[in-house]
Amino acid sequence: MLGKNTFRLAALLLSMLLVLSTALVGCGSPSKEQKTNETPKQSDTDKTESTPKQGKPVEITYWFPHGNSRDKNALEKAVDIFNKANPDIKVTAEFVGASGSGQGITDKLTTAINGGSPPDVVLFDRFMVSQWASGGLFEDLTDLAQANGVTKDMFYDFAIKEASYKDRIYAMPFDTDCRVLYYNKKMFKEAGLDPEKPPLTIAELDEYAEKLTKKEGNRYKVIGFIPWLSQGWLYTWGWAFGGQFQDQSGKITANHPDIVKALEWETTYAKKYDIEAITNFSSASGGDINPFSAGMVAMMISGPWEIAGFKEFKDLDYGVSYIPTPTGSNFNSWAGGWCYVIPKGTKNKEASFKFAKFMSVEEGARIYGEDTVHFMSYKDLNDKFTWVKNEPKAKIFLELFPKSYCRPAISKGQLLWDELATATDNALHGKGMPKELLDKVTEKVNKELGF
C-alpha cells in the first residue's frame, strides 16, 4: 500500500517526485494505459460458472502482490482457514510480485485477461479500479454483492467510491489508510515549542517549521518541515486548503482556487529554504532511510504504517496530529488501499466472490488487519483490533476516516496523478505559475475524459 514501509530520502528530491508517484500508485496500476483498453476475447467473457465435479472442489486461483513476510503470511493464513471452512472450494494463493518496471502483477494480469486465462481473484490497488473497469477488464460485482448481503454502507465512503465505476461495484474494499502530521516531540522541546501542542493552522506550521530548522553555514542539519515530503502530495494540501478536485458533473477541477492557493503556499517553502539546498541536504545523506526517524526533519505528513515501523526506534519520541489547515478547523485527510477484484472471464465468479467477501468483511479481513497492523475498509472491524486498542496513536486515524477523501474515481486516474505531480514539480522549481500549471492539468485531463 503506497510504498509505505520505507522512504528513500531521495523523496526530498523534487526531481524524483514523478518517479515516486509511479511507485506510489503503480503497485496496482497499468504501466501502459492502452493496455486497459484492450477488449478481452469474447469467447472468454462468455464463459459460464464452472461447477464442481462430483467429490472435487471448485478450483480458485488467487493472485496477490504483497511479498513482505508479515503480509504474505497473513494472506496465506486466511486462505488456509477459508479452504478448511469451505470444502467445496479450493483457493490456491500465488504471490505475483512487482518486477522490472515495478508493474509485474498488472502486466501479467493484463496479459492473462486478454489471453483468456485470468486468475479468479486478485488483490488490486483500489485507486486503479475505475480505470480498469472502464476498460472492461473486471467483472461487475453489484448483483453478487446484493445477493450476498454486502452493502455500500459497510465500508468507508472513500473506499466504496474507489471500488465503484458509474455507480456499479467492481471491487470489494480491503485494507486502508489516511494521512496525518507526524512531529518530533524532542525537537519541539529543544526549539522551545510545547510538544503537546502541534501546529493546527498553516500559519503555525510555517512558524514551527522555521523554529525547528537548524543550519550550519550553508548546510541544513535539520529541516523543520517540507510540505511535499513523503505523503505531502498536492492531493494532501489541496483538500487541506478546502479545494475539490472534481465537481458534481464529473469534471476535474485541479485549478480550483483553493488548490491553487495550496500550491502557491508550497512554493513559498521552495523559495524560503531553497529547493537546491534541500536537494543537497538529501543528497548528502543518501541511503534508504526515513528522514523523520533519522532526525533530519522535525515534521512530516505520512500514514499509519509508520507507527509499526517507528517502534524500532526506541529513542524516537513523536506525536501524531491533524494535517494543518488555513483556519485550524475542518480537518480532513485522504485515503488509499487495496481491494479484491474478479477479472473479466473468470470461470468461477460466484465462488470467487465468496472468497473475496471472506477476505473483505469476514474472518480473512480480521486476520489480515490483526496480524499486519493494518486498518480495514470494513468499518466494523477497526476498533476491535487488539493493536488498535493498545495504540493511542491509532485514535486519530479512526477519527479521520469518515472525513477522508479518495482520489477521483475516473477512467484517467493515473493521468491525473501524473499531471498533478508534474505541475507540482514545475511550480516548486519555478517553471511556471501554479494557476497556469493547474489550468493545463485541468484542461488536459478533462479533454481525455471527454469534457
Side-chain angles (χ1 to χ4, degrees):
M1 181 162 42
L2 305 181
K4 54 193 170 186
N5 292 323
T6 62
F7 281 92
R8 295 177 183 279
L9 191 54
L12 295 171
L13 295 166
L14 269 297
S15 60
M16 295 183 67
L17 195 56
L18 283 175
V19 176
L20 281 178
S21 73
T22 301
L24 182 70
V25 301
C27 47
S29 62
S31 58
K32 297 178 181 177
E33 192 171 296
Q34 63 269 27
K35 291 181 178 180
T36 64
N37 294 326
E38 296 175 12
T39 303
K41 294 178 179 178
Q42 186 62 37
S43 59
D44 302 314
T45 61
D46 290 340
K47 288 180 178 178
T48 56
E49 186 84 7
S50 66
T51 54
K53 296 179 181 178
Q54 188 171 12
K56 291 186 177 181
V58 173
E59 300 275 350
I60 296 294
T61 301
Y62 160 43
W63 285 5
F64 66 90
H66 294 0
N68 74 71
S69 59
R70 185 177 59 182
D71 290 3
K72 188 169 183 286
N73 290 341
L75 293 172
E76 292 176 342
K77 176 182 175 181
V79 169
D80 288 342
I81 292 173
F82 178 86
N83 283 337
K84 290 176 182 175
N86 297 275
D88 57 329
I89 302 173
K90 184 179 189 308
V91 176
T92 299
E94 181 181 348
F95 166 63
V96 182
S99 62
S101 64
Q103 306 296 322
I105 191 169
T106 50
D107 285 352
K108 187 172 180 178
L109 179 58
T110 304
T111 300
I113 294 173
N114 290 317
S117 301
D120 297 285
V121 183
V122 179
L123 182 54
F124 196 78
D125 190 336
R126 200 167 60 232
F127 164 60
M128 296 304 298
V129 167
S130 291
Q131 185 159 325
W132 282 59
S134 70
L137 299 179
F138 292 156
E139 294 283 355
D140 183 339
L141 306 181
T142 309
D143 294 340
L144 279 171
Q146 184 175 7
N148 286 276
V150 176
T151 56
K152 291 184 176 181
D153 61 2
M154 295 169 70
F155 306 99
Y156 294 112
D157 286 347
F158 59 79
I160 198 64
K161 284 180 181 176
E162 280 193 323
S164 303
Y165 178 67
K166 292 187 175 179
D167 295 326
R168 303 291 293 181
I169 298 172
Y170 282 87
M172 290 287 285
F174 184 51
D175 62 346
T176 196
D177 54 44
C178 67
R179 282 86 187 137
V180 299
L181 177 75
Y182 285 76
Y183 66 99
N184 188 311
K185 290 188 174 182
K186 180 181 178 182
M187 289 183 177
F188 266 50
K189 294 175 186 174
E190 292 172 349
L193 299 170
D194 187 338
E196 303 307 322
K197 292 184 177 179
L200 297 178
T201 68
I202 294 297
E204 289 175 344
L205 179 62
D206 296 344
E207 176 190 346
Y208 289 17
E210 183 173 350
K211 289 182 177 179
L212 290 160
T213 297
K214 297 180 180 178
K215 202 171 184 180
E216 283 186 355
N218 294 324
R219 299 181 66 86
Y220 287 110
K221 288 186 64 180
V222 175
I223 296 181
F225 184 65
I226 303 171
W228 54 86
L229 177 66
S230 188
Q231 294 295 301
W233 303 96
L234 186 55
Y235 278 122
T236 306
W237 296 113
W239 278 312
F241 272 69
Q244 296 296 324
F245 289 85
Q246 188 176 28
D247 66 16
Q248 292 296 321
S249 72
K251 287 184 178 178
I252 293 303
T253 54
N255 58 352
H256 186 286
D258 289 325
I259 299 173
V260 173
K261 289 179 183 176
L263 187 52
E264 289 174 343
W265 166 75
E266 288 196 62
T267 64
T268 65
Y269 274 74
K271 294 173 182 174
K272 181 175 182 176
Y273 296 98
D274 186 354
I275 192 71
E276 296 305 325
I278 294 174
T279 299
N280 293 335
F281 173 70
S282 58
S283 299
S285 302
D288 186 13
I289 62 174
N290 184 311
F292 182 79
S293 60
M296 300 177 66
V297 296
M299 298 183 286
M300 178 180 75
I301 301 295
S302 196
W305 53 85
E306 303 286 13
I307 294 175
F310 287 164
K311 290 186 184 301
E312 299 177 11
F313 301 89
K314 303 301 182 185
D315 296 330
L316 180 61
D317 183 13
Y318 71 96
V320 292
S321 184
Y322 306 110
I323 296 171
T325 66
T327 60
S329 60
N330 299 321
F331 301 111
N332 60 60
S333 186
W334 66 275
W338 294 78
C339 64
Y340 281 93
V341 296
I342 298 178
K344 199 73 173 179
T346 181
K347 294 178 289 186
N348 306 298
K349 191 173 174 180
E350 291 187 7
S352 298
F353 186 83
K354 186 173 185 178
F355 175 66
K357 181 185 176 188
F358 175 82
M359 296 298 289
S360 301
V361 299
E362 297 176 349
E363 184 65 3
R366 191 200 64 77
I367 291 170
Y368 187 79
E370 191 69 88
D371 288 6
T372 66
V373 193
H374 276 75
F375 289 109
M376 304 306 292
S377 299
Y378 179 39
K379 292 187 292 188
D380 286 353
L381 272 180
N382 288 326
D383 60 1
K384 297 180 176 63
F385 290 137
T386 302
W387 70 268
V388 170
K389 294 177 181 176
N390 295 332
E391 177 52 76
K393 292 183 177 67
K395 182 180 178 182
I396 190 171
F397 295 97
L398 295 179
E399 179 185 341
L400 285 171
F401 281 141
K403 306 173 185 177
S404 292
Y405 294 96
C406 67
R407 288 158 286 186
I410 57 176
S411 59
K412 303 297 178 183
Q414 184 68 63
L415 175 65
L416 176 57
W417 178 276
D418 292 343
E419 290 298 319
L420 289 174
T422 299
T424 301
D425 187 53
N426 286 336
L428 295 176
H429 284 87
K431 299 178 181 177
M433 300 301 291
K435 175 68 165 56
E436 295 171 356
L437 292 166
L438 293 175
D439 281 345
K440 291 179 181 177
V441 173
T442 302
E443 181 181 358
K444 182 174 183 177
V445 177
N446 279 332
K447 184 177 181 181
E448 289 291 324
L449 290 172
F451 288 109

